[in-house]
Amino acid sequence: MRLGVLDVGSNTVHLLVVDAHPGARPLPAHSHKAELRLAELLDADGAIGPLGAERLAATVADALRAAEDKGCEEVLAFATSAVREATDADQVLSRVKDETGVVLTVLSGPEEARLTFLAARRWFGWSAGKLLLLDIGGGSLEIGYGMDEEPDAAVSLPLGAGRLTADRLRGDPPEPASVRELRRHIRTGIARTVGEFARLGRPDHVVGTSKTFKQLARITGAARFAEGLYVQRVLTRKALAEWVPKLAAMTVEERGALPGVAEGRAGQLLAGALVAEGAMDLFEVEELEICPWALREGVILRRLDHLPAGQGAVV
């Protein structure tokens, strides 16, 4: 069957169309993205506001048309931290439903971490052992740990790269004082959770998902993504520590010229690097592997798990 998953994130609204059935790897068929940056549209009261809601509804409508054009039987639509934490979330969700017919499921932070963990577990398999997952989004940092498909611990922290950039980094390049203060803020936030995971023992394998980790791996020497999904890509703490001060000294334009860095994400790269470095330091991770699958794939896999046996298969 052909499924669409519509991810309303803090940075982008992303429709991923896949051909899938239970027991098989979902095969990407189409991708439709719009850079909406909801997290940056929040006003002083934390509201998306009428203009933001209008733009979101129009973007969702565009994505829905793309899903129909590609023959999707079902569209799984969800929203993450930007909508989850907006003070006017109910009004925004109602407007999207009224104007598009799409009911956005708002995932909680722990749900986001659990679904991303599921995707990473399916990608790496049981041989990976105890898995520690780190995922840096636009609005939040998700952490998951466990032996099975359901993590033993899963948390979400308000340490997304987009949120931190908008709230705490000043100047281009940023002022050294704001970088130091952001570094302290990130490490204080992560340190509060370390004990919860430490009691579960050391992981056998650490993985990073999300655009931020992929870009950081690329600029520190990992293979280009044009070389394929199955090429192993890693990010080391040593290489990241060498790059953080370089990123802090760069302008947004200079970061955007780095290999693998999307122009629209260049402004957030320093904050994302500080989060990645803080997490790797505090969890004592020397190296992590990049996982191509993340939240969208987790949502698809969970949906397939709930299909009756044989449904969705081509016969």
Side-chain angles (χ1 to χ4, degrees):
M1 67 186 302
R2 178 158 283 194
L3 289 174
V5 58
L6 180 59
D7 175 1
V8 177
S10 297
N11 287 314
T12 60
V13 177
H14 188 174
L15 171 73
L16 176 66
V17 176
V18 300
D19 292 318
H21 64 269
R25 176 175 65 90
L27 296 174
H30 178 70
S31 179
H32 176 93
K33 280 185 193 178
E35 294 276 349
L36 191 55
R37 301 195 179 281
L38 276 181
E40 296 178 14
L41 295 178
L42 299 178
D43 62 21
D45 297 321
I48 291 173
L51 179 59
E54 179 183 355
R55 290 174 60 186
L56 175 58
T59 304
V60 169
D62 287 343
L64 190 61
R65 283 191 290 272
E68 292 172 352
D69 288 345
K70 296 301 177 181
C72 290
E73 297 180 41
E74 183 179 357
V75 175
L76 312 171
F78 66 90
T80 55
S81 63
V83 175
R84 180 168 68 230
E85 297 169 14
T87 55
D88 58 346
D90 290 342
Q91 297 96 304
V92 171
L93 293 169
S94 178
R95 180 162 185 175
V96 170
K97 180 182 176 182
D98 290 345
E99 295 188 13
T100 69
V102 173
V103 177
L104 285 174
T105 298
V106 180
L107 299 178
S108 71
E111 284 176 325
E112 194 175 338
R114 286 194 292 268
L115 287 165
T116 308
F117 185 90
L118 170 64
R121 171 57 75 192
R122 292 277 178 94
W123 182 267
F124 288 106
W126 303 115
S127 63
K130 291 178 286 188
L131 203 64
L132 175 63
L133 165 86
L134 301 171
D135 178 89
I136 303 169
S140 58
L141 163 68
E142 274 68 51
I143 307 170
Y145 176 99
M147 277 288 294
D148 301 316
E149 293 194 339
E150 182 69 21
D152 297 316
V155 300
S156 178
L157 304 175
L159 298 174
R163 176 204 299 266
L164 296 176
T165 300
D167 291 350
R168 294 179 174 270
L169 283 181
R170 298 178 298 277
D172 184 24
E175 299 170 7
S178 69
V179 175
R180 288 194 299 271
E181 177 54 36
L182 176 55
R183 184 179 186 275
R184 284 193 293 269
H185 173 74
I186 289 167
R187 287 168 182 258
T188 299
I190 296 173
R192 296 190 186 107
T193 73
V194 170
E196 179 180 349
F197 291 88
R199 64 181 177 80
L200 299 172
R202 290 197 63 80
D204 298 309
H205 198 59
V206 183
V207 301
T209 68
S210 74
K211 191 72 170 179
T212 293
F213 273 119
K214 291 175 182 178
Q215 291 181 147
L216 292 172
R218 180 71 184 95
I219 67 172
T220 59
R224 294 178 303 113
F225 280 86
E227 296 180 29
L229 286 178
Y230 300 106
V231 176
Q232 186 186 47
R233 296 170 177 87
V234 299
L235 175 65
T236 68
R237 179 160 48 153
K238 180 176 183 294
L240 182 58
E242 292 172 354
W243 264 95
V244 166
K246 296 178 186 178
L247 293 172
M250 291 179 177
T251 63
V252 170
E253 183 178 2
E254 288 169 336
R255 286 184 227 133
L258 293 172
V261 176
E263 182 180 352
R265 299 293 185 99
Q268 304 179 12
L269 188 60
L270 173 59
L274 289 167
V275 174
E277 184 188 34
M280 293 180 78
D281 278 352
L282 290 165
F283 283 99
E284 299 180 351
V285 174
E286 295 302 326
E287 179 181 286
L288 60 75
E289 185 171 359
I290 304 303
C291 179
W293 282 1
L295 178 59
R296 286 182 289 274
E297 288 78 10
V299 170
I300 292 166
L301 292 166
R302 180 59 50 83
R303 177 69 184 97
L304 293 175
D305 287 347
H306 287 87
L307 285 178
Q311 185 173 337
V314 177
V315 295

